[in-house]
Amino acid sequence: MTRGQFRIYLGAAPGVGKTYAALEEAHRRAARGTDVVIGFVETHGRPATSDLIGDLEVVPRRAVEYRGSSFEEFDVDAVITRAPAVALVDELAHTNVPGSRNQKRWQDIDELLDAGIDVISTVNVQHLESLNDVVAEITGVPQRETVPDEVVRRADQVELADITPEALRRRMVHGNVYPPEKVDAALSNYFRVGNLTALREIALLWLADKVEDQLEQYRDAQQITAVWESKERVVIALSGGDEGDTLIRRAARIAARSGGADLKAVYVASGDGLTSAGAARNLARQRTLIEDLGGTFHQVVGDSIPDALLEFARDANATQLVLGASRRGRFAQAISRGVGVTTTARSGKIDVHLVSHERVAKASRGRPTNGALGSGRRLLGVTLALVGIPLLVIALNPLHDELSLTTIILIVLTAVMGLTLTGGMWPALLAALLGFFLLNFFFTEPYYSFKVDDQEQLIALGIFVALALGGAAVVNLSAARARLAARASAEAQMLAALAGNVLRGGDRLDDLLEQLRETFGLESVTLLERTQPGAGPDERSVARYWHPVGGVGPVCDSPGAADNDLPVTDELALALRGHTLDTSERRIAQAFAMHAAAALERERLERQAEAVERLTDADKLRTALLAAVSHDLRTPLASARVAVSSLKSTGELFTPGERMELLDSAEQSLARLTGLVDNLLDMSRLQAGVLGADPVPIALDEAVPWALDEIGETAADIALDVPADLAEVVADPGLLQRILVNVIANSLRYSPDGVPPRVTAGVQGRTVELRVVDRGPGVPDADRETMFRPFQRLGDRDNTTGVGLGLALSRGLAEAMGGTLTAEATPGGGLTMVLALPQVEPADGLRSITD
């Protein structure tokens, strides 16, 4: 079933006339004979809006009981059962009463569209998810009801219901928006001129972005070269804090104003994998938000957040990077520059946006301190041991007459324990040995020598070393256990992310492999399939035994050539290049591999289903062909046979005029039979892909009259508007003439008396469009593609107008020449057939076939 068309009226504020404009559109369509119903309209007590409903059919609302009260909601099932051509459903962002099948009205509308019903709806700009916080900041009024931007962007048409702020305020003063008792408060708050001007600008900018998207789609369809060398891509760095929502919305606006840039959010999990429960909740919410805004969520692992972030951004070919301003205090910022400053300094050509938020300069508890002792901390510990312990002992030396040896040992021991917490076991061992010898040299008799005369002092020094080493061992053990716990947490988090991605439908093979590559920062990931049985232990390194069936990055031709070889099944292996994974990382990668195998199998089953569907369609075509032959070929054959049999009769049974009439009948029947057979043969060639075309330059102002001459006298009144200086097209003359004859004859058949069709032509991008415009009954939107299928006769009942191959054949012939044939509604009623053909490039130096 063809999905319905979706039209939205967008407004900058309440009262601009969205519902009124939607009702006017409903009346226009009803006047043209379209079946229109009102599914739900909220008049807000405005008389002009209520009066405009008029005689339009209104589908009764559904009563919903909630907490002892009854509410009226839009009845989706009633409208689907009624099955109108068009349904008007107001207030797209409305939240349904709890207990309804769908939470939001836009989800109700999706069901109508899936049922093939065209929908007209309305929404204000403050309800768009990406603009919700901006509008709240401008107006001071938060909006709880929002709709994902992607829902509105997917609409086939978005029209702005626009009005100046002054005119809207006058409309309010006249009582056309709110009751009189609410006007003064509204004018002095939400509906101030400044607020309305800002909202109008936001709406215009958002709609301009929508128009830009449509323009890009048109350029792609017409193969027009893009004016940008590279598309804008915006990456958002998430930390797991509450400020992530602000960053995502800000980045969405940046992306929208950059011409619909790609939007990617990334969270860098530290090497230990530890993420607090609060951060996990925030990330889950932010994942949903970024996906609602049309972006994607990614997670990578890295001990250095700036390095991992920039690596991801460069891999994604990002042009802009959005980070939150630092939440650390001034003292912490003075010690180290932090993620934002470091990332900005290393970003190179990537533009970095540091976005302020309400948690700036507040301590963050979202990500715990790294439990494992890295190389940096060990280096710091060694430095402190070599410099700090000698300085401390030298500073205590003048006090050896005032302090006992025990006290001095405790002071040095405290310093060693602090250093142990900083650098771990090996710096602590170094500090303990330095402390032992320095204490012996400066504080035991005889002084300034490494001899010890007092046995108690020797025992004290021994206990000092034992305590220092014991503390270092405890810290080292704690760090090791922290690493194990962190690794388990990282594995669980990665597997949960993978499971969540699969549940959300992001389980295409390439998506899974890209997620695996991003997770471990790999150069390439290739899924290989065995092509033949192996030949011994070296089979995994022989390229001819393997065939890549999916991958991201440079292709690896065999499992043995990769840094990591992960067997998936007996026939599949995953080859990873970039660096060697450790045992725990391989466990996670193995989970990805199993999902990848399942995704590959699913994609193959889908392709098989498509092949079966094509065979089914071909079988339907053959069945329809036999049905057509059984009737439409028999009729002209019977007519010709009767005429010839009569002419063979002996005697003067027929006058000369009657004999000529029989000959004309036989000739017309045979001509009809010839044309029918030609169409059937050409359609068969098209279906088999063997119809040949010989495109050459040809002028439409010469080709169209040839087609009119073939049609005959019935085409004499057709109005032509094909400029003589129009660019030539590249087409096969014979095929082009058949298309023109079929399309123009079809237009003549349905044109009312006295209103002949009109043929116009003009240049559109790199193509020339020929339009055949009629004022006939037209074709409903849902049937426009159906009429291009073979053996379709929309509106015919007697089966005397052919087998329904004309338009199907014409479209196939146009596509064989690199063109298109589409149908549009004629403004004011009727149908317009649009034939688009590639124009001759001036540099080609081609000459017209008529030269």
Side-chain angles (χ1 to χ4, degrees):
M1 179 180 294
T2 304
R3 183 175 169 87
Q5 297 287 303
F6 192 17
R7 180 169 186 159
I8 296 177
Y9 285 89
L10 176 68
V16 295
K18 304 179 302 300
T19 304
Y20 199 93
L23 286 169
E24 287 182 328
E25 175 64 18
H27 277 288
R28 280 193 294 270
R29 298 197 185 190
R32 295 197 297 263
T34 305
D35 184 12
V36 181
V37 302
I38 293 179
F40 191 97
V41 165
E42 185 58 71
T43 64
H44 297 287
R46 299 164 188 166
T49 305
S50 301
D51 294 342
L52 191 58
I53 295 176
D55 57 354
L56 291 174
E57 178 183 349
V58 179
V59 176
R61 300 180 181 183
R62 177 174 55 92
V64 180
E65 297 292 329
Y66 180 66
R67 292 184 177 179
S69 300
S70 180
F71 299 87
E72 290 186 341
E73 286 288 4
F74 168 51
D75 196 336
V76 184
D77 295 329
V79 175
I80 293 177
T81 302
R82 170 64 176 75
V86 180
L88 194 160
V89 184
D90 205 5
E91 296 192 346
L92 178 66
H94 172 75
T95 301
N96 294 329
V97 173
S100 302
R101 181 164 66 231
N102 296 315
Q103 181 182 3
K104 291 284 190 176
R105 182 162 294 165
W106 63 264
Q107 295 169 323
D108 295 338
I109 291 175
D110 256 347
E111 292 191 22
L112 298 186
L113 295 172
D114 290 338
I117 300 173
D118 294 352
V119 178
I120 303 172
S121 189
T122 64
V123 68
N124 276 329
V125 72
Q126 69 263 27
H127 296 297
L128 297 177
E129 182 64 65
S130 67
L131 301 173
N132 181 263
D133 59 337
V134 178
V135 175
E137 183 178 351
I138 292 172
T139 63
V141 180
Q143 297 290 335
R144 296 182 179 178
E145 294 186 327
T146 59
V147 59
D149 290 41
E150 189 61 21
V151 173
V152 184
R153 288 189 179 277
R154 285 201 309 262
D156 300 282
Q157 298 181 62
V158 178
E159 183 173 333
L160 183 65
D162 190 29
I163 188 174
T164 65
E166 293 78 7
L168 178 55
R169 286 170 60 87
R170 285 196 300 272
R171 181 178 291 179
M172 293 194 64
V173 171
H174 295 155
N176 295 329
V177 180
Y178 288 156
E181 64 273 12
K182 296 183 178 180
V183 170
D184 289 339
L187 290 175
S188 59
N189 291 285
Y190 192 97
F191 288 84
R192 290 178 293 180
V193 173
N195 288 356
L196 296 177
T197 302
L199 294 176
R200 189 186 186 201
E201 180 184 20
I202 291 173
L204 289 169
L205 288 173
W206 193 94
L207 188 60
D209 292 339
K210 166 72 174 176
V211 173
E212 183 70 21
D213 291 343
Q214 293 176 333
L215 181 60
E216 287 296 325
Q217 294 173 7
Y218 176 79
R219 287 173 176 166
D220 292 340
Q222 301 297 325
Q223 298 182 349
I224 299 174
T225 304
V227 298
W228 300 280
E229 294 183 1
S230 178
K231 188 176 182 180
E232 289 286 330
R233 294 174 179 85
V234 181
V235 170
I236 314 156
L238 300 179
S239 65
D242 294 335
E243 75 282 356
D245 299 56
T246 302
L247 300 184
I248 291 172
R249 291 191 174 98
R250 177 59 177 160
R253 294 194 293 274
I254 293 173
R257 293 173 183 174
S258 299
D262 289 343
L263 195 62
K264 299 176 181 287
V266 58
Y267 171 71
V268 180
S270 58
D272 58 18
L274 293 176
T275 301
S276 69
R281 288 193 299 270
N282 289 336
L283 289 172
R285 184 183 69 254
Q286 290 156 13
R287 178 196 289 268
T288 302
L289 177 59
I290 187 68
E291 291 175 351
D292 285 345
L293 295 175
T296 56
F297 179 88
H298 306 264
Q299 180 168 316
V300 298
V301 176
D303 290 324
S304 172
I305 295 177
D307 290 343
L309 183 58
L310 288 173
E311 181 181 358
F312 174 85
R314 293 188 177 105
D315 287 345
N317 197 23
T319 56
Q320 301 186 64
L321 184 58
V322 178
L323 299 92
S326 177
R327 295 178 294 178
R328 304 184 309 150
R330 295 181 180 178
F331 179 76
Q333 295 182 36
I335 295 176
S336 63
R337 296 191 298 178
V339 174
V341 176
T342 304
T343 303
T344 304
R346 301 178 185 175
S347 62
K349 294 183 179 181
I350 302 176
D351 296 333
V352 178
H353 304 264
L354 287 176
V355 179
S356 181
H357 50 86
E358 61 183 15
R359 291 183 62 87
V360 170
K362 294 183 180 179
S364 171
R365 299 183 181 179
R367 180 176 297 191
T369 304
N370 193 333
L373 300 178
S375 59
R377 288 180 61 180
R378 286 194 293 270
L379 180 60
L380 177 62
V382 171
T383 303
L384 291 176
L386 292 174
V387 177
I389 296 299
L391 290 177
L392 176 61
V393 173
I394 292 173
L396 292 173
N397 185 42
L399 304 175
H400 72 275
D401 292 332
E402 300 178 10
L403 299 176
S404 65
L405 177 62
T406 303
T407 302
I408 293 174
I409 287 176
L410 290 175
I411 294 174
V412 177
L413 179 61
T414 302
V416 173
M417 295 304 295
L419 192 146
T420 301
L421 297 174
T422 302
M425 185 169 185
W426 296 111
L429 176 59
L430 177 60
L433 293 176
L434 281 174
F436 174 83
F437 288 110
L438 290 174
L439 288 172
N440 182 12
F441 187 80
F442 287 102
F443 295 100
T444 62
E445 296 178 356
Y447 298 122
Y448 309 114
S449 71
F450 292 103
K451 295 181 180 180
V452 181
D453 292 339
D454 190 340
Q455 186 177 2
E456 291 185 0
Q457 290 180 344
L458 181 60
I459 294 173
L461 290 176
I463 294 174
F464 162 78
V465 174
L467 289 175
L469 294 180
V474 170
V475 170
N476 192 63
L477 179 61
S478 299
R481 291 181 176 177
R483 282 193 295 271
L484 291 175
R487 182 60 63 184
S489 174
E491 290 182 21
Q493 187 175 348
M494 288 297 177
L495 293 175
L498 174 61
N501 189 48
V502 172
L503 291 175
R504 283 186 297 275
D507 53 352
R508 306 301 299 179
L509 178 59
D510 290 344
D511 295 336
L512 288 170
L513 298 181
E514 177 63 25
Q515 186 180 359
L516 174 59
R517 187 187 70 83
E518 291 176 354
T519 298
F520 296 109
L522 299 169
E523 178 184 347
S524 69
V525 177
T526 307
L527 184 63
L528 297 165
E529 185 175 32
R530 194 190 305 272
T531 58
Q532 55 182 303
D538 296 331
E539 65 172 355
R540 303 190 74 81
S541 300
V542 180
R544 68 175 182 272
Y545 294 143
W546 300 91
H547 171 68
V549 292
V552 291
V555 176
C556 183
D557 56 8
S558 67
D563 297 316
N564 304 273
D565 174 10
L566 298 180
V568 183
T569 64
D570 292 340
E571 304 299 327
L572 293 174
L574 199 61
L576 313 179
R577 277 181 174 172
H579 59 83
T580 304
L581 303 182
D582 61 27
T583 303
S584 60
E585 290 173 335
R586 288 177 67 91
R587 285 198 299 268
I588 299 175
Q590 195 70 44
F592 275 96
M594 299 306 296
H595 281 291
L600 175 64
E601 181 66 20
R602 183 168 49 256
E603 290 183 2
R604 287 177 171 175
L605 290 175
E606 290 174 355
R607 286 195 292 270
Q608 292 176 5
E610 291 174 358
V612 171
E613 185 177 356
R614 286 195 297 270
L615 291 175
T616 303
D617 291 341
D619 184 66
K620 290 180 180 178
L621 177 63
R622 286 191 292 269
T623 302
L625 178 61
L626 292 174
V629 170
S630 67
H631 177 275
D632 294 275
L633 290 183
R634 186 172 63 246
T635 301
L637 280 174
S639 299
R641 181 181 178 183
V642 170
V644 173
S645 298
S646 300
L647 290 173
K648 288 175 62 179
S649 300
T650 58
E652 298 296 331
L653 298 178
F654 301 101
T655 65
E658 291 173 337
R659 293 176 64 84
M660 184 58 66
E661 183 177 350
L662 287 172
L663 288 172
D664 289 341
S665 175
E667 182 180 14
Q668 291 174 5
S669 296
L670 292 174
R672 180 184 172 193
L673 181 62
T674 301
L676 188 58
V677 171
D678 287 344
N679 281 346
L680 289 171
L681 289 175
D682 284 341
M683 180 55 67
S684 298
R685 294 190 187 102
L686 281 173
Q687 293 289 337
V690 296
L691 180 66
D694 185 19
V696 296
I698 186 171
L700 287 181
D701 64 316
E702 299 173 357
V704 174
W706 295 345
L708 297 182
D709 291 342
E710 182 175 336
I711 293 174
E713 296 181 358
T714 56
D717 296 331
I718 290 179
L720 288 181
D721 184 13
V722 182
D725 58 350
L726 186 67
E728 294 180 331
V729 299
V730 181
D732 184 299
L735 300 185
L736 175 60
Q737 186 167 354
R738 293 192 65 186
I739 295 173
L740 294 176
V741 170
N742 278 336
V743 173
I744 296 175
N746 189 72
S747 179
L748 282 167
R749 184 179 301 118
Y750 292 102
S751 292
D753 295 337
V755 187
R758 182 166 53 93
V759 179
T760 66
V763 176
Q764 296 290 334
R766 288 185 172 181
T767 64
V768 176
E769 288 188 354
L770 183 83
R771 293 175 171 266
V772 181
V773 184
D774 69 54
R775 294 290 181 178
V779 176
D781 295 348
D783 292 335
R784 285 186 195 147
E785 285 301 313
T786 304
M787 70 182 184
F788 286 105
R789 299 174 186 169
F791 313 110
Q792 297 294 325
R793 291 182 289 250
L794 296 179
D796 294 337
R797 296 292 182 267
D798 58 2
N799 290 338
T800 61
T801 57
V803 296
L805 279 176
L807 291 180
L809 179 61
S810 297
R811 170 174 277 189
L813 296 177
E815 292 175 350
M817 296 186 296
T820 60
L821 180 64
T822 56
E824 298 177 356
T826 301
L831 188 69
T832 298
M833 302 297 296
V834 183
L835 174 64
L837 294 170
Q839 65 170 304
V840 175
E841 298 293 340
D844 293 342
L846 299 175
R847 295 172 56 86
S848 171
I849 61 172
T850 59
D851 288 349

